[in-house]
Amino acid sequence: MEPIILMEHLHKSYGNKQVLKDINLKIYPGQVIGYIGPNGAGKSTTVKILCGLLSGFEGNVTVKGIDLRQDPLGVKRIVGYVPELADLYEVLTPVEFLELIAGLHELDPAIASERIVKMLTAFGLEQNMLQRMDTFSKGMRQKVLLISGLLHDPDILILDEPLSGLDANSVIIVKELISQLAAQGKTIFYCSHMMDVVEKVCDRIILINQGTIVADGSFEMLQESLGKGSLENIFAQLTAEVSLQGVASSLVSAFQKNRDDE
Amino acid sequence: MNKVSLLLYKMVLLPLPLFEKTGVNVSQLKLILRYKLMMDDRHPNTFQQTRGRPKKEGISNATIGTMIMAFVGGVLNLIAFAIGVDDVTHFSIFYLAFLFLLASILITDFTSVLIDVRDNIILLPRPVNDRTILMAKLMHIAVHLSRVIIPLTVPVLIFVLWNKGIWAGLSFLFLTSLAALFAIFLINAAYLLVLKIMSPEKFKSFIAWFQIGFVIFIYGGYQFFLKATDRQDFQQFSIDEYPFAKFFPPYWFAAAWSWMNGQLDSMGIIWLVTSIAASLGSIWVVVKFLAPAFNARLIMIQGSGSESIDLSKMKDTIDLKKRGQGIDDFLAKLVTRNAAERAGFLFSWRWTGRNRGFRMRVYPTVGYVIVWIILIIVRGGGSNTDQESPNFSNSAYGFLVFMYITSFIIINAIQNIHLADEFKSSWIFYSNPIKRPGIIIRGSFKSMLCKFYLPLAIILVVGGIAWKGWGIIPNLVLGLSNQLVICSIILLLGKKAFPASRPTEMNDRSGNFLRGLMMLVLIGMAAVLHYFVYKFVAVVLLLSVLSMLAGWLLMRRIGNISWAEVNKSASD
């Protein structure tokens, strides 16, 4: 089978600092990739390159046969991106906002309009469809963002911390959504720090640290090679340079001196 | 979208078919522009407002105020028709003022729109090309600028129609539209060019300095043109006597009008061609050469690029050992009385030094003041040999003008300190136990004074004493104290808000520069009053005492600004 995402010798630097060092990846349709790594490992940079937001990289990136460098718009058409910490135009209502997104994807307005209402209703936002989003809770905004990434029926869905702010029921919905989309042959690129979710949702886990892939395989495969335990433990084993308990102790001890003074 | 915006929207879209051939996706452009204008009418909710109570949409008072100011400017522009002997001269002077005002507003109020990075993450992941996004931004600027362009043009248009007939009016309208396009695209082209040739990191720190230089260039050119053609027989001269004038864009548009109205020989068509080529050419350069890779650059500016930069190598990284020893800490200790005021002081000091939006709005005013100072010095030097005009350098007038106009910078700083794109971060002021917001606001005000007033005050004191001798001291005290009083009054009459706590609204943008100029008129009045008492030392001393007392009372008043006042300002 042809990979839907192909990265070959991907390098990216900001000034003298190398952020991505020779990333090589083949991702196949229908895979749910858990892309994890500590803060500053290069996750966001990879995602931004993949979405066509960042240029100036070395190496090749091909998405569904389209060379990202040659035709970034072509890639944007088939990728749905749900960014972390994204702003919305919150003076708009969700319907207005999604109509704008649909317009930018040049969807037929009639089809878009029907789809928007269906999706908002499915997420339980039918009562809020015509309210300005500046009154929305974090979870409601996140739902609108998720819809904005799905609206044009993309082949590849890139999710950056998609569960942030969602209530427990919505989390179940999104997890179910991911597995149903994957069953339809969509590829999901899932970035998160929530190891328990990644462990359950993803069928392939890629761990990146300091710009290099340090582990790649299913959770079971990682357990086999790195010892039994949760993904959290495997993550810490591969990426933590200091004792994590020690860090917590020094945080607490920061109060100590002041207390002694008092 | 309100009716004014809708009309302007339709107007700026008129030349759209031209763009289509250059690779702009017209339907996407229309969509983005329509949504942007719709959003401009809706005021974002801030902390002080009740949730879910959006304000009425429509034309705001600020917009009407700006339009009235521009209309007054348009009436003043009629003076152009009293200068010189022929129409080329009249129109040259008019287009000089017109282009200069547009350029100034573009630089101080709108360049931050061009490199606004806020909606990167919303628009850029979509399949929209660079040209479409850049063009949408420029058309967005054009719509807002039209609120100034139209009232500025109407008085002259009526005058031309009345005196010279329909064709004269129509040709004037055509050329003025071209001139407006020329200004918008040329000014933005300069920024795009800098963005293209510089690395994004350098661009971020360079841009404010570029703005100052650009203002000096544009304003210097304006003043040069005026000075070079300044004559006693101002009604009898023709611009054609000055060959250099032909290199200035205002002349091109003026000569094109003259040719279209049969006042030049057949060779005059060259000026019409030049005008059209300059306007459409600047659009073409922007779309064809400067637009590609614009978005990629924007993403880099946003900081997603810089977050991975090795922080230890950055110049402004704070050295832990030197913390608390900087000039900011030193001044804060000197002028603030308690921890909350100190916090306000330090926050404003640091934020204004690092925030690109603030720097882009305020630093250009430094450029104007530099040109004014140079002008006063040059004019002073020249007038020594010119018996007929007052001896400028030795007159009280020269020094007073010098002293009062420098407050243009601090006034702009005060008017901009509460505006920020990241206004939502101001929740920190609301969630912390602050009894009176005035304390923070006063800290912030003092910090602006230390940054934008103190250095100039020191220069004025040293320069004043060197220039005029010790006898100038009472007048220096009065002038500097008056500046403080005026600044305090402006702060108290304006919106009472925490630093960086209010959204920058597009609809209100084009008024910033004009408002700054209006404030300068107020200051000019204070300078005139001061001029009358300049020689009477006893009166000056008495007024100084009164002025300082007023300053002290106003400072106390600022410190007493209550929550109710802050909340009221926010909901106005």
Side-chain angles (χ1 to χ4, degrees):
Chain A
M1 194 168 32
E2 278 288 304
I4 189 161
I5 300 173
L6 179 66
M7 295 182 194
E8 292 172 316
H9 306 294
L10 179 61
H11 290 262
K12 172 76 192 170
S13 324
Y14 295 118
N16 297 328
K17 165 115 180 161
Q18 263 211 318
V19 187
L20 295 180
K21 303 165 192 162
D22 200 28
I23 301 279
N24 290 287
L25 269 182
K26 282 181 183 166
I27 293 168
Y28 296 93
Q31 280 191 329
V32 181
I33 306 291
Y35 198 59
I36 58 175
N39 297 330
K43 292 191 303 295
S44 290
T45 305
T46 320
V47 164
K48 282 188 178 142
I49 289 175
L50 199 52
C51 296
L53 291 177
L54 265 187
S55 55
F57 54 85
E58 290 164 44
N60 292 318
V61 180
T62 319
V63 180
K64 212 179 174 185
I66 305 170
D67 186 331
L68 184 62
R69 234 189 237 108
Q70 301 295 325
D71 184 10
L73 291 195
V75 172
K76 287 178 186 183
R77 279 190 197 100
I78 53 170
V79 168
Y81 176 40
V82 180
E84 189 194 9
L85 298 174
D87 281 327
L88 291 162
Y89 291 137
E90 45 183 46
V91 292
L92 298 180
T93 69
V95 171
E96 288 168 338
F97 179 74
L98 294 169
E99 276 171 355
L100 169 68
I101 301 295
L104 294 178
H105 278 284
E106 299 183 278
L107 293 184
D108 178 54
I111 297 173
S113 173
E114 193 189 328
R115 209 179 272 175
I116 288 167
V117 173
K118 273 189 189 163
M119 288 176 130
L120 285 169
T121 311
F123 252 140
L125 290 176
E126 68 271 30
Q127 300 297 323
N128 313 92
M129 266 193 273
L130 302 175
Q131 284 171 5
R132 273 166 59 160
M133 292 188 285
D134 49 8
T135 59
F136 277 23
S137 69
K138 196 175 174 210
M140 288 156 88
R141 285 164 206 238
Q142 190 62 29
K143 289 176 185 175
V144 177
L145 264 185
L146 275 165
I147 297 174
S148 79
L150 286 167
L151 197 59
H152 57 292
D153 194 19
D155 293 317
I156 299 159
L157 190 61
I158 300 175
L159 305 171
D160 203 346
E161 291 294 357
L163 304 182
S164 132
L166 292 182
D167 59 34
N169 291 337
S170 308
V171 167
I172 297 172
I173 296 174
V174 174
K175 283 186 196 165
E176 181 58 30
L177 177 73
I178 290 173
S179 56
Q180 286 194 21
L181 288 172
Q184 280 179 20
K186 309 263 185 209
T187 311
I188 319 280
F189 204 84
Y190 187 104
C191 296
S192 180
H193 292 294
M194 294 159 81
M195 294 300 132
D196 49 337
V197 182
V198 174
E199 191 182 306
K200 288 190 190 103
V201 170
C202 303
D203 48 28
R204 179 177 164 194
I205 292 164
I206 297 168
L207 204 165
I208 175 173
N209 191 24
Q210 294 179 348
T212 326
I213 293 172
V214 289
D216 181 358
S218 66
F219 179 50
E220 292 73 26
M221 282 163 67
L222 295 186
Q223 277 186 320
E224 261 171 45
S225 57
L226 295 159
K228 293 280 173 198
S230 65
L231 186 56
E232 201 169 77
N233 291 339
I234 296 175
F235 184 92
Q237 189 187 326
L238 287 173
T239 61
E241 286 160 2
V242 288
S243 149
L244 303 178
Q245 285 80 4
V247 174
S249 311
S250 33
L251 280 172
V252 173
S253 67
F255 296 121
Q256 211 56 50
K257 191 170 177 304
N258 299 59
R259 285 212 185 111
D260 294 345
D261 291 344
E262 278 167 15
Chain B
M1 210 187 306
N2 67 50
K3 286 186 185 117
V4 176
S5 298
L6 187 67
L7 185 75
L8 300 174
Y9 167 75
K10 292 205 167 136
M11 208 179 71
V12 299
L13 289 181
L14 284 178
L16 212 56
L18 276 179
F19 304 150
E20 199 154 19
K21 293 194 183 90
T22 57
V24 172
N25 184 321
V26 170
S27 63
Q28 286 178 334
L29 183 144
K30 278 180 168 171
L31 184 78
I32 298 173
L33 187 55
R34 205 177 68 230
Y35 267 86
K36 290 256 176 195
L37 292 172
M38 190 162 93
M39 289 190 285
D40 292 341
D41 284 343
R42 301 185 184 176
H43 304 264
N45 267 343
T46 46
F47 286 95
Q48 303 90 328
Q49 289 167 334
T50 329
R51 279 162 60 110
R53 188 176 57 86
K55 283 192 205 161
K56 205 176 95 224
E57 289 171 26
I59 309 155
S60 68
N61 289 339
T63 308
I64 294 169
T66 304
M67 290 175 90
I68 291 172
M69 279 191 282
F71 185 78
V72 172
V75 173
L76 289 176
N77 269 345
L78 287 172
I79 294 171
F81 291 87
I83 301 172
V85 75
D86 49 18
D87 278 335
V88 182
T89 312
H90 297 156
F91 281 97
S92 291
I93 304 283
F94 165 75
Y95 279 119
L96 178 70
F98 178 79
L99 287 174
F100 167 67
L101 195 65
L102 286 197
S104 309
I105 295 175
L106 278 163
I107 294 173
T108 50
D109 297 340
F110 283 105
T111 39
S112 44
V113 178
L114 178 74
I115 49 174
D116 186 359
V117 292
R118 270 178 306 166
D119 49 16
N120 274 359
I121 213 74
I122 301 177
L123 294 180
L124 300 193
R126 316 291 161 194
V128 191
N129 67 35
D130 293 280
R131 288 185 176 127
T132 309
I133 290 200
L134 178 59
M135 218 46 193
K137 284 193 175 206
L138 292 177
M139 292 291 103
H140 190 201
I141 292 174
V143 168
H144 285 283
L145 203 59
S146 301
R147 290 158 211 244
V148 173
I149 295 173
I150 293 171
L152 194 63
T153 315
V154 163
V156 178
L157 178 66
I158 294 171
F159 176 83
V160 173
L161 278 172
W162 188 267
N163 279 301
K164 301 176 194 290
I166 299 275
W167 171 245
L170 286 178
S171 47
F172 169 72
L173 207 57
F174 168 70
L175 287 164
T176 307
S177 317
L178 280 187
L181 282 178
F182 172 71
I184 294 172
F185 280 86
L186 194 71
I187 297 286
N188 283 303
Y191 286 87
L192 291 168
L193 190 68
V194 176
L195 184 60
K196 203 175 179 89
I197 55 182
M198 280 199 131
S199 76
E201 289 77 30
K202 276 203 185 125
F203 180 82
K204 284 197 249 185
S205 48
F206 177 72
I207 191 65
W209 302 110
F210 175 73
Q211 300 240 99
I212 297 177
F214 205 30
V215 162
I216 293 177
F217 175 73
I218 300 263
Y219 192 42
Y222 170 74
Q223 284 293 346
F224 173 76
F225 195 97
L226 280 186
K227 283 276 130 296
T229 56
D230 184 21
R231 307 172 22 155
Q232 295 300 318
D233 56 339
F234 70 92
Q235 282 182 308
Q236 262 69 52
F237 86 105
S238 168
I239 197 82
D240 282 324
E241 294 165 30
Y242 301 95
F244 77 85
K246 295 185 170 61
F247 294 103
F248 281 71
Y251 182 85
W252 310 340
F253 295 99
W257 184 90
S258 300
W259 180 80
M260 287 173 86
N261 287 273
Q263 296 181 1
L264 295 179
D265 59 22
S266 59
M267 281 306 283
I269 192 174
I270 207 169
W271 298 115
L272 180 63
V273 174
T274 309
S275 303
I276 295 175
S279 333
L280 299 185
S282 55
I283 299 179
W284 185 72
V285 167
V286 165
V287 178
K288 209 76 190 165
F289 296 105
L290 300 172
F294 169 67
N295 291 338
R297 289 275 167 171
L298 273 192
I299 286 272
M300 307 276 276
I301 292 183
Q302 191 163 27
S304 50
S306 59
E307 72 195 359
S308 304
I309 285 178
D310 192 351
L311 286 173
S312 60
K313 285 184 189 151
M314 280 177 67
K315 206 172 59 193
D316 52 349
T317 305
I318 294 144
D319 185 345
L320 265 181
K321 282 181 203 151
K322 286 187 184 161
R323 268 203 58 191
Q325 295 172 14
I327 179 90
D328 46 352
D329 295 282
F330 171 74
L331 288 169
K333 264 184 217 146
L334 208 64
V335 301
T336 61
R337 283 190 232 149
N338 55 45
E341 191 176 18
R342 185 180 133 83
F345 182 100
L346 288 175
F347 169 73
S348 287
W349 184 280
R350 289 163 185 164
W351 183 78
T352 55
R354 296 171 202 175
N355 181 274
R356 194 171 58 250
F358 179 85
R359 293 194 303 167
M360 290 187 73
R361 287 190 298 269
V362 175
Y363 283 29
T365 52
V366 176
Y368 296 101
V369 171
I370 291 175
V371 177
W372 281 324
I373 289 174
I374 292 171
L375 274 179
I376 287 174
I377 292 168
V378 170
R379 210 188 287 183
S383 61
N384 282 335
T385 53
D386 189 350
Q387 291 304 314
E388 287 182 36
S389 61
N391 196 335
F392 203 83
S393 65
N394 289 325
S395 74
Y397 177 67
F399 186 68
L400 285 180
V401 170
F402 204 13
M403 187 153 63
Y404 280 87
I405 54 169
T406 48
S407 43
F408 193 48
I409 303 172
I410 174 76
I411 289 174
N412 266 284
I414 294 171
Q415 286 186 319
N416 278 290
I417 179 71
H418 58 271
L419 297 177
D421 290 340
E422 65 274 37
F423 67 96
K424 284 189 181 158
S425 310
S426 65
W427 61 269
I428 49 161
F429 296 118
Y430 296 88
S431 64
N432 278 300
I434 298 162
K435 199 171 158 200
R436 268 177 295 132
I439 301 286
I440 304 272
I441 296 173
R442 190 171 66 195
S444 162
F445 180 56
K446 284 180 177 171
S447 131
M448 290 301 91
L449 289 175
C450 286
K451 206 173 208 173
F452 297 106
Y453 168 83
L454 197 60
L456 284 167
I458 291 171
I459 294 173
L460 283 169
V461 169
V462 174
I465 292 171
W467 189 8
K468 304 271 179 189
W470 296 100
I472 193 73
I473 289 178
N475 278 298
L476 268 174
V477 173
L478 178 61
L480 292 174
S481 171
N482 280 348
Q483 279 196 36
L484 265 183
V485 170
I486 293 167
C487 290
S488 309
I489 292 173
I490 289 173
L491 185 140
L492 284 167
L493 290 180
K495 284 212 183 297
K496 298 179 190 74
F498 287 114
S501 68
R502 308 266 314 143
T504 46
E505 290 184 30
M506 265 311 271
N507 278 346
D508 204 7
R509 229 173 234 275
S510 38
N512 277 347
F513 179 75
L514 291 177
R515 263 196 300 279
L517 281 184
M518 294 296 273
M519 297 294 177
L520 209 59
V521 172
L522 285 182
I523 288 189
M525 281 153 65
V528 168
L529 291 177
H530 188 161
Y531 176 65
F532 286 126
V533 298
Y534 182 79
K535 286 201 173 126
F536 309 102
V537 178
V539 182
V540 170
L541 284 174
L542 178 69
L543 287 176
S544 301
V545 172
L546 289 176
S547 170
M548 284 192 286
L549 185 67
W552 182 73
L553 287 172
L554 286 164
M555 270 295 188
R556 276 179 62 113
R557 174 70 189 85
I558 292 173
N560 283 326
I561 291 174
S562 65
W563 277 110
E565 285 174 283
V566 169
N567 292 339
K568 188 176 174 302
S569 277
S571 56
D572 280 347

